[in-house]
Structure formats: C-alpha cells, structure tokens
Amino acid sequence: MISWFSALPYGWAYFIATIIDILVIALPVMLAVAMIIYADRKIWAAIALRRGPNVVGPFGLLQSFADGLKVFLQETIVPAAANRTLFLIAPIITFTVALIAWAVIPFSSYSVLANINIGLLYILAASSLGVYGVILAGWASNSKYPFYSAIRAAAQMVSYEVAIGFVLISVVMWAGSFNMQTIVLAQKGEVLGFINANGFNPLLFPMAVVFLISSMAETSRTPFDLTEAESELVAGYQTEYSSMSFALYWLGEYANVILMCALNATLFWGGWLPPLDLPFLYHIPGTTIGLGLFWIFLKIAIFFFIFSWVKATLPRYRYDQLMRLGWKIFLPLSLFFVFLVSGWLMLTRYHPIGG
C-alpha cells in the first residue's frame, strides 16, 4: 500500500498507509460488534422459542444501531464520590485493548497488519492489559459492589490466563514459531496429510477444548459471568456506568469475544486455510483476497455460535467451582500436555528414534 503514496516522502507514505490499514481492520470489527450483538440476541431467542429483535429495520437488523444511538444520547453520570479521571479512562482502556490485539491476526496469506515474529506474545500482552480497565472501573466507582466485582473479575482473568499460557506453549512448540502466520501455515495438511487443523491432532485436541472453555472464562461469558451475578453484584464493575462509558464496556466485551473466536480458529482450526488441503478449496470465484477471508470468517461465525449456544443453555457456575476448574483441572492438564508435546517432539522431530 505504501506504493500508492510514492509521490510523498517515505515517512509520510508509511504513516498514511498504516493509518488506512488500521481503519480497514478497526472499522469492520466495530461494525461486526454491532451485528454480532444482534446475532447473539437472535440465537438466544431461537433457542428460547422467541422471535428476538424484529422491529427496527428489516428483520430487526438495525436494532443494535438504535440501541447505540439511545446510549449515545443519554447523560454520562459520574458518581459524586468517584475518581472522575480514572472513572472515565477505565472504559477507554478496555475498548482500546480489545482492538489493538487485532493487529497481528492474519486474515489471508498476505492480509495482516503487523506480521511480527512475536505475534502470539503480543496478543498475550495486549489481552493481559484488559484487567486494568476492570480494576480501575471497580476502584474508581468508590462503591462496594463494583469493587467486589472488579476483584472477582481480576482473579478470574488471571487464573484462566495461566492455563491459556500453557496451552499456547504447546501450540508454539508444535509450530516452532510465535508468528501467527507461521502457526497457520504449520497446520497445512497437519492431520492425515490433508486436514488443515491442529484441533484434530490427538496431542493438541485436548488443548483446543481447554482453550475454548478458557476463552469463555476470559471474556466472562456464561457460564463464567460471575462478574455480573445479579443476586450478588448487581451489574458488576460497570454498575455505576451510563451512556457511552457503559457502551464502551459493552463494545469491548463483544470485541474480545470476536477476538477469542478468531484465536480459536487461527491457533487450532487452520485460520484462513480451508478445512481440507484440496486445491479447489483454495480458489473461490472472485478475487484472491477473498480466499482467506471466507474461511476465517466462517470459522469465527461457527465459534461465535458456540459461544451463544453455551450462553443460552448452561447455568452460571458458583465462584468456587469456576476457580477450581481453572486451578485444579485446566492448569495441571495444560501443564501435562506441555510435557507430553515437548517429549513427543524431542523423540520424533528433533531427535528422531533411529536417526
């Protein structure tokens, strides 16, 4: 894209091209957030034998935009005893962190904003920053229920990030790289020579399941939405928020959900690769850029349906059950598979038997 602005000095051409690349990713993500809120409500309604949003716009498609306009026109109320600066900064941090991680997600063989060698570490660092927005919201509100919820949310996020970290170590060892594009390409013909997915690998399938469940806990989705348990914490750390500050938390939550769906698809299910390593599946009528986008968007949609399906069907865990699952089941299991995968690679790939 820099070549499009070759008439300008290189520094300005690079700057403008980078801004355009960011907008090409950020704007569709924000539009997708609005549409998946609609899809989420439609899926819940279908499972509960209801109609869901169906009034605003054709088939109710404009319902999310109407809700956004409603909160935008409301007054932003800051509690008198709150720390005003931190109270207003907290939702901005949450929403910003939810967007910056998309910089390293590959959408096709050449459609990635930053194809850096430490892409996976970048995502871990960016997602870890999300806890600051939650903690600041609970503390700055100067109210006991948001504060309790923030402490609970922080403990939950940290607990499941530990398990996620060990899961990702297994993926990195198998692919031999932290680069997201390399991790995707390493899955080509991974299983039986023609299935493009780590998820069907017997050594990595349990880790795919652990990562899927942990990603639900990381985004505080049902059955792990203990940060918003109405009987204990009202609306949790965002109880005191209103108007656009509340909407930023809402948008940030769904942006994180889409990100986790994209990570599930990228790390374990082939990313932008087709499910099978067959030549005709790499060519979709139209432009070649559509080839990768089609498959990764399809996989993201499937995982989002799973997220919604779980939310509509499962009851909420108790907090002690949630922490027990993270520390006593997922952590030992993921650590065991780190040893298992590393041992298998040492025996077969790096020091093959008889080699």
Side-chain angles (χ1 to χ4, degrees):
M1 183 175 287
I2 296 177
S3 60
W4 295 359
F5 306 100
S6 55
L8 299 174
Y10 180 80
W12 280 106
Y14 179 81
F15 175 76
I16 295 173
T18 303
I19 294 296
I20 293 175
D21 285 340
I22 291 172
L23 292 176
V24 165
I25 294 176
L27 294 180
V29 167
M30 288 188 280
L31 178 62
V33 166
M35 298 316 299
I36 68 163
I37 294 174
Y38 166 80
D40 217 7
R41 296 172 67 181
K42 275 292 191 181
I43 293 169
W44 302 342
I47 292 175
L49 299 180
R50 296 183 288 105
R51 296 183 67 183
N54 61 353
V55 175
V56 184
F59 307 104
L61 287 170
L62 300 181
Q63 183 64 56
S64 295
F65 300 98
D67 292 339
L69 179 62
K70 178 183 69 176
V71 296
F72 179 76
L73 295 176
Q74 290 176 343
E75 179 185 2
T76 299
I77 300 173
V78 180
N83 184 319
R84 184 180 183 86
T85 302
L86 295 180
F87 186 84
L88 296 176
I89 287 177
I92 298 174
I93 292 175
T94 298
F95 182 67
T96 303
V97 167
L99 289 181
I100 62 175
W102 284 93
V104 296
I105 299 294
F107 295 98
S108 71
S109 57
Y110 54 88
S111 298
V112 55
L113 178 60
N115 190 25
I116 56 178
N117 290 330
I118 55 170
L120 201 53
L121 287 179
Y122 171 84
I123 288 178
L124 279 174
S127 62
S128 298
L129 292 174
V131 72
Y132 289 103
V134 173
I135 288 289
L136 287 178
W139 186 82
S141 297
N142 198 22
S143 175
K144 62 180 180 180
Y145 290 117
F147 183 69
Y148 290 156
S149 174
I151 295 299
R152 179 181 283 188
Q156 176 176 330
M157 294 170 73
V158 170
S159 299
Y160 282 87
E161 278 180 1
V162 174
I164 286 177
F166 282 116
V167 169
L168 297 184
I169 288 175
S170 299
V171 175
V172 167
M173 287 193 299
W174 197 267
S177 174
F178 282 96
N179 182 280
M180 297 293 288
Q181 196 72 275
T182 304
I183 291 173
V184 171
L185 293 173
Q187 299 178 61
K188 188 173 182 179
E190 171 62 30
V191 181
L192 301 177
F194 67 93
I195 299 178
N196 300 330
N198 280 333
F200 290 111
N201 185 320
L203 286 175
L204 295 178
F205 175 74
M207 294 298 91
V209 175
V210 169
F211 187 82
L212 175 61
I213 299 173
S214 296
S215 60
M216 293 181 187
E218 186 74 7
T219 53
S220 298
R221 293 279 292 189
T222 307
F224 306 106
D225 57 338
L226 274 300
T227 58
E228 301 177 17
E230 294 88 351
S231 58
E232 310 154 44
L233 301 170
V234 199
Y237 56 85
Q238 47 198 0
T239 299
E240 304 292 346
Y241 282 88
S242 60
S243 187
M244 281 307 294
S245 54
F246 174 80
L248 285 177
Y249 273 116
W250 189 250
L251 295 173
E253 176 184 339
Y254 274 92
N256 275 323
V257 169
I258 304 178
L259 175 64
M260 284 300 176
C261 292
L263 286 176
N264 274 280
T266 301
L267 298 175
F268 292 100
W269 302 101
W272 50 265
L273 295 172
L276 302 176
D277 191 22
L278 301 175
F280 70 92
L281 292 179
Y282 288 90
H283 302 285
I284 294 177
T287 60
T288 55
I289 195 173
L291 119 92
L293 294 177
F294 173 80
W295 292 115
I296 192 167
F297 287 164
L298 177 62
K299 293 171 185 178
I300 289 174
I302 291 171
F303 276 106
F304 182 73
F305 176 78
I306 294 173
F307 271 63
S308 295
W309 189 4
V310 168
K311 183 166 185 174
T313 54
L314 294 183
R316 181 181 291 134
Y317 274 20
R318 292 198 317 266
Y319 194 69
D320 63 306
Q321 292 174 326
L322 177 143
M323 298 302 283
R324 185 184 304 118
L325 178 66
W327 286 106
K328 293 187 176 181
I329 298 177
F330 283 178
L331 177 57
L333 182 64
S334 57
L335 186 58
F336 171 73
F337 270 87
V338 168
F339 287 106
L340 197 63
V341 169
S342 59
W344 177 261
L345 291 175
M346 289 297 292
L347 287 173
T348 61
R349 182 183 299 179
Y350 301 113
H351 296 284
I353 299 173

